[in-house]
Amino acid sequence: QVQLVESGGGLVQAGGSLRLSCTASGLTFADYAMGWFRQAPGKEREGVSCISWSGGTTFYADSVKGRFTISRDNAKNTLYLQMNSLKPEDTAMYYCAARASAYSSRSWRIAAEYNYWGQGTQVTVSS
Protein backbone atom coordinates (compact mmCIF):
# COMPACT_ATOMS: atom_id res chain seq x y z
CA GLN A 1 0.00 0.00 0.00
CA VAL A 2 1.44 3.32 -1.10
CA GLN A 3 1.56 6.06 1.50
CA LEU A 4 2.74 9.64 1.20
CA VAL A 5 2.83 11.48 4.51
CA GLU A 6 3.44 15.23 4.63
CA SER A 7 4.72 17.11 7.65
CA GLY A 8 6.19 20.48 8.55
CA GLY A 9 3.24 22.76 8.02
CA GLY A 10 2.16 25.34 10.55
CA LEU A 11 1.51 28.99 11.29
CA VAL A 12 4.21 31.49 10.36
CA GLN A 13 4.42 35.25 9.96
CA ALA A 14 4.89 36.83 6.57
CA GLY A 15 8.54 36.77 5.60
CA GLY A 16 9.17 33.61 7.57
CA SER A 17 10.19 30.14 6.45
CA LEU A 18 8.93 26.58 6.66
CA ARG A 19 10.28 23.28 5.42
CA LEU A 20 7.78 20.68 4.35
CA SER A 21 8.64 16.99 4.17
CA CYS A 22 6.90 14.11 2.46
CA THR A 23 7.89 10.57 3.38
CA ALA A 24 6.94 7.80 0.98
CA SER A 25 6.41 4.10 1.56
CA GLY A 26 5.05 1.20 -0.46
CA LEU A 27 6.66 2.29 -3.72
CA THR A 28 10.10 2.50 -5.24
CA PHE A 29 10.57 6.17 -4.52
CA ALA A 30 13.42 6.69 -6.94
CA ASP A 31 11.22 5.53 -9.83
CA TYR A 32 8.83 8.44 -9.43
CA ALA A 33 8.92 12.11 -10.17
CA MET A 34 7.46 14.05 -7.26
CA GLY A 35 5.41 17.18 -7.02
CA TRP A 36 4.08 19.64 -4.50
CA PHE A 37 0.60 21.09 -4.96
CA ARG A 38 -1.46 23.44 -2.86
CA GLN A 39 -5.10 24.30 -2.50
CA ALA A 40 -6.55 27.32 -0.78
CA PRO A 41 -10.20 27.46 0.29
CA GLY A 42 -12.45 28.10 -2.68
CA LYS A 43 -9.63 27.70 -5.18
CA GLU A 44 -8.46 24.95 -7.48
CA ARG A 45 -5.48 22.79 -6.63
CA GLU A 46 -2.39 24.28 -8.23
CA GLY A 47 1.03 22.93 -8.97
CA VAL A 48 3.79 24.47 -6.88
CA SER A 49 6.85 22.50 -7.91
CA CYS A 50 8.03 19.25 -9.43
CA ILE A 51 11.29 17.31 -9.28
CA SER A 52 12.52 14.47 -11.47
CA TRP A 53 13.34 11.03 -10.11
CA SER A 54 17.04 11.89 -9.93
CA GLY A 55 16.54 15.40 -8.64
CA GLY A 56 18.29 16.80 -11.66
CA THR A 57 15.31 18.64 -13.12
CA THR A 58 12.97 20.93 -11.24
CA PHE A 59 10.04 23.15 -12.18
CA TYR A 60 8.33 25.88 -10.20
CA ALA A 61 5.19 27.92 -10.46
CA ASP A 62 5.98 31.53 -11.25
CA SER A 63 4.39 32.58 -7.95
CA VAL A 64 7.00 30.71 -5.89
CA LYS A 65 10.07 30.90 -8.11
CA GLY A 66 13.05 32.25 -6.20
CA ARG A 67 11.38 31.66 -2.82
CA PHE A 68 10.72 27.91 -2.73
CA THR A 69 13.18 25.07 -3.31
CA ILE A 70 12.21 21.47 -3.96
CA SER A 71 14.61 18.63 -3.22
CA ARG A 72 14.58 14.92 -2.54
CA ASP A 73 16.62 12.30 -0.74
CA ASN A 74 16.05 8.95 -2.45
CA ALA A 75 17.97 7.10 0.27
CA LYS A 76 15.42 8.36 2.80
CA ASN A 77 12.37 8.13 0.51
CA THR A 78 11.70 11.76 1.35
CA LEU A 79 10.70 14.84 -0.61
CA TYR A 80 11.21 18.37 0.70
CA LEU A 81 9.93 21.85 0.02
CA GLN A 82 11.90 24.70 1.56
CA MET A 83 9.68 27.78 1.63
CA ASN A 84 11.26 31.15 2.30
CA SER A 85 9.90 34.71 2.25
CA LEU A 86 6.42 33.39 2.81
CA LYS A 87 3.46 35.56 1.91
CA PRO A 88 -0.15 35.46 3.10
CA GLU A 89 -1.16 34.28 -0.38
CA ASP A 90 0.91 31.13 0.21
CA THR A 91 -1.67 30.03 2.78
CA ALA A 92 -3.09 26.69 1.67
CA MET A 93 -3.14 22.97 2.23
CA TYR A 94 0.02 21.56 0.70
CA TYR A 95 0.07 18.10 -0.85
CA CYS A 96 2.85 15.94 -2.17
CA ALA A 97 2.22 13.63 -5.10
CA ALA A 98 4.06 10.96 -7.07
CA ARG A 99 3.92 10.33 -10.79
CA ALA A 100 5.29 7.52 -12.91
CA SER A 101 4.63 9.05 -16.31
CA ALA A 102 6.79 11.42 -18.31
CA TYR A 103 6.05 15.12 -18.19
CA SER A 104 7.05 18.39 -19.74
CA SER A 105 7.65 21.91 -18.52
CA ARG A 106 3.93 22.49 -18.99
CA SER A 107 2.34 19.16 -18.01
CA TRP A 108 4.06 18.76 -14.65
CA ARG A 109 1.39 20.89 -13.05
CA ILE A 110 -1.54 18.70 -14.20
CA ALA A 111 -2.79 17.08 -11.01
CA ALA A 112 -4.68 14.30 -12.78
CA GLU A 113 -1.40 12.89 -14.11
CA TYR A 114 -0.13 12.04 -10.62
CA ASN A 115 -0.67 8.51 -9.38
CA TYR A 116 -0.46 8.91 -5.60
CA TRP A 117 -1.27 11.69 -3.16
CA GLY A 118 -0.68 12.49 0.47
CA GLN A 119 -3.30 13.82 2.87
CA GLY A 120 -1.80 17.29 3.04
CA THR A 121 -0.28 19.63 5.60
CA GLN A 122 -1.69 23.07 6.35
CA VAL A 123 0.44 26.17 5.87
CA THR A 124 -0.91 29.44 7.22
CA VAL A 125 0.96 32.71 6.74
CA SER A 126 -0.20 35.66 8.79
CA SER A 127 0.28 39.25 7.70
Side-chain angles (χ1 to χ4, degrees), residues 26-44:
L27 79 170
T28 304
F29 184 68
D31 286 347
Y32 289 79
M34 299 296 296
W36 285 101
F37 287 75
R38 66 186 181 186
Q39 188 167 18
K43 294 188 177 181
E44 291 187 356

Side-chain angles (χ1 to χ4, degrees), residues 61-82:
D62 288 344
S63 59
V64 306
K65 206 170 290 183
R67 300 187 297 122
F68 291 10
T69 303
I70 192 171
S71 62
R72 65 189 297 162
D73 185 336
N74 288 346
K76 295 182 178 180
N77 286 0
T78 302
L79 172 73
Y80 303 100
L81 186 68
Q82 178 67 45

Side-chain angles (χ1 to χ4, degrees), residues 4-7 36-37 93-96 117-122:
L4 302 177
V5 181
E6 301 95 337
S7 61
W36 285 101
F37 287 75
M93 186 71 79
Y94 282 71
Y95 301 90
C96 68
W117 290 84
Q119 293 299 307
T121 185
Q122 177 68 38

